[in-house]
Amino acid sequence: MRARFILSETWTSLKRNVPMIISVMLVTFISFVFIGASALMQAQVTRAKGEWYNKIEVVVWLCPDGTSQAATCAAGKAPTKQEIVELEEFIQDELTDNVSKITYVSREDFYKNTFLKQYPNGDYQGRTLTAADMQDSLQLKLKDPTKYKMVAEVLSGKTGVEDVVDQKQIFDPVFAVLNRATAVTVALAVVMVVVAILLTGTTIRMSAASRKNETEIMRLVGASNWTIRLPFILEGVVASLVGSLLACGLLAGVVQVFITDGIAQSVSWMPFVTQSTVWLIAPALVAGAVLLSIVASAISLRRYLKA
């Protein structure tokens, strides 16, 4: 009987306050779109880092034939096969705790498997390059990619080594941009959450104020505090629930249209978030919206419905 009464009062309150309920719904919707967007962007950063950092290698470029700006290449000749073997043994001895795998890539292999894929026919800056213009290299797979500087310090001064390049440096600027974008969306989400709390509290307080005589009568006939408060709290919960579900739907649509069916079709080298990522964070968004509404409603009702 009590549950039926509470549901009846909630339905009556919803019908009376349609404009205010819609405003709470819209603010919740906008707030949780920003919150969901920041969560998706952070998931994108985490996924990309996990994919790329596992494949990142340190490339040790060996001296080319001819002139080079590096002091370690003063001889003007590329290292011989014996010198390359000795360098590999040096790496194994001195960097055994940092390097898990050493792969030798000849200039011919680099030209055929890498350079020609990026520059068809070998055309580069107005010149047609051949394998003879390339350099031999050693690709080092690190046990911990964050230990790049230690590897670079050991190898940078070695004779026969022109340069040591960490592929991680290529991706760090990309991650920096994504992290900044995440920070902006988080800041906007925080602002919108504050607005949602204030608006939800104000809406529920106005609803309670408009029915103050009814609540006083209920109190006189012995209704408990929670029996009086629950219809108002459920009013806010319904609005926030609908708003958060709409936010999840919009995020899913954006991911499908602009990422899965858009960017992901043309950019194959980056792993992107998918629909499953959206539905993974959706329960947290919905639960957060409901909790936010309950807290805001409970706080606002204390002023008008004191125990």
Side-chain angles (χ1 to χ4, degrees):
M1 185 69 179
R2 181 178 297 176
R4 182 182 299 177
F5 170 77
I6 291 173
L7 292 176
S8 175
E9 287 295 305
T10 301
W11 176 246
T12 300
S13 182
L14 288 171
K15 290 191 296 183
R16 286 181 178 179
N17 301 302
V18 171
M20 288 188 289
I21 296 301
I22 291 177
S23 64
V24 172
M25 187 189 309
L26 289 176
V27 171
T28 303
F29 166 71
I30 296 171
S31 301
F32 280 83
V33 164
F34 281 110
I35 293 173
S38 64
L40 286 175
M41 292 192 71
Q42 192 55 51
Q44 176 65 54
V45 172
T46 302
R47 176 169 295 193
K49 281 185 176 180
E51 179 74 14
W52 287 342
Y53 278 14
N54 287 335
K55 297 179 180 179
I56 283 174
E57 297 176 330
V58 170
V59 179
V60 181
W61 292 105
L62 304 180
C63 294
D65 287 324
T67 60
S68 173
Q69 299 296 324
T72 51
C73 300
K77 293 183 179 180
T80 63
K81 290 184 178 181
Q82 180 59 36
E83 289 173 334
I84 293 174
V85 170
E86 291 175 357
L87 181 59
E88 290 178 344
E89 292 175 349
F90 173 81
I91 293 172
Q92 291 173 343
D93 293 338
E94 297 296 324
L95 297 169
T96 184
D97 294 333
N98 302 99
V99 178
S100 61
K101 183 180 179 182
I102 305 173
T103 303
Y104 169 69
V105 179
S106 67
R107 65 182 72 186
E108 291 80 11
D109 289 339
F110 177 78
Y111 181 76
K112 180 175 63 176
N113 299 327
T114 303
F115 187 81
L116 287 180
K117 289 181 179 180
Q118 296 181 5
Y119 305 100
N121 302 320
D123 296 332
Y124 177 74
Q125 295 183 351
R127 298 174 55 198
T128 300
L129 303 183
T130 65
D133 299 306
M134 303 295 109
Q135 296 171 251
D136 295 334
S137 64
L138 296 177
Q139 295 181 351
L140 310 183
K141 184 68 176 179
L142 302 187
K143 296 178 181 178
D144 182 357
T146 62
K147 299 294 181 63
Y148 155 72
K149 289 185 178 180
M150 182 182 298
V151 176
E153 288 175 359
V154 173
L155 296 177
S156 293
K158 287 291 294 180
T159 301
V161 175
E162 183 183 41
D163 193 16
V164 181
V165 178
D166 178 21
Q167 294 175 335
K168 178 174 173 286
Q169 294 175 320
I170 300 172
F171 300 120
D172 279 347
V174 178
F175 292 138
V177 171
L178 291 175
N179 284 328
R180 290 192 191 98
T182 302
V184 171
T185 56
V186 168
L188 291 173
V190 170
V191 172
M192 294 306 301
V193 165
V194 172
V195 172
I197 291 174
L198 294 176
L199 183 57
T200 301
T202 300
T203 301
I204 300 303
R205 188 163 61 246
M206 292 176 66
S207 178
S210 67
R211 300 173 61 190
K212 193 169 185 179
N213 291 335
E214 296 177 31
T215 56
E216 288 297 333
I217 293 173
M218 292 170 62
R219 190 185 296 277
L220 290 174
V221 298
S224 66
N225 291 324
W226 278 110
T227 301
I228 297 172
R229 293 176 181 177
L230 268 178
F232 299 107
I233 293 176
L234 291 176
E235 180 181 341
V237 166
V238 170
S240 298
L241 178 63
V242 174
S244 62
L245 289 174
L246 290 175
C248 293
L250 178 64
L251 291 171
V254 169
V255 169
Q256 182 65 40
V257 173
F258 292 100
I259 297 181
T260 304
D261 296 337
I263 300 175
Q265 298 299 317
S266 56
V267 181
S268 58
W269 49 268
M270 176 183 285
F272 291 99
V273 293
T274 61
Q275 289 286 339
S276 60
T277 311
V278 178
W279 300 125
L280 188 64
I281 67 172
L285 294 178
V286 174
V290 170
L291 181 61
L292 179 150
S293 175
I294 292 173
V295 171
S297 301
I299 292 174
S300 65
L301 288 173
R302 292 182 62 183
R303 180 176 177 180
Y304 289 95
L305 305 174
K306 296 181 180 179

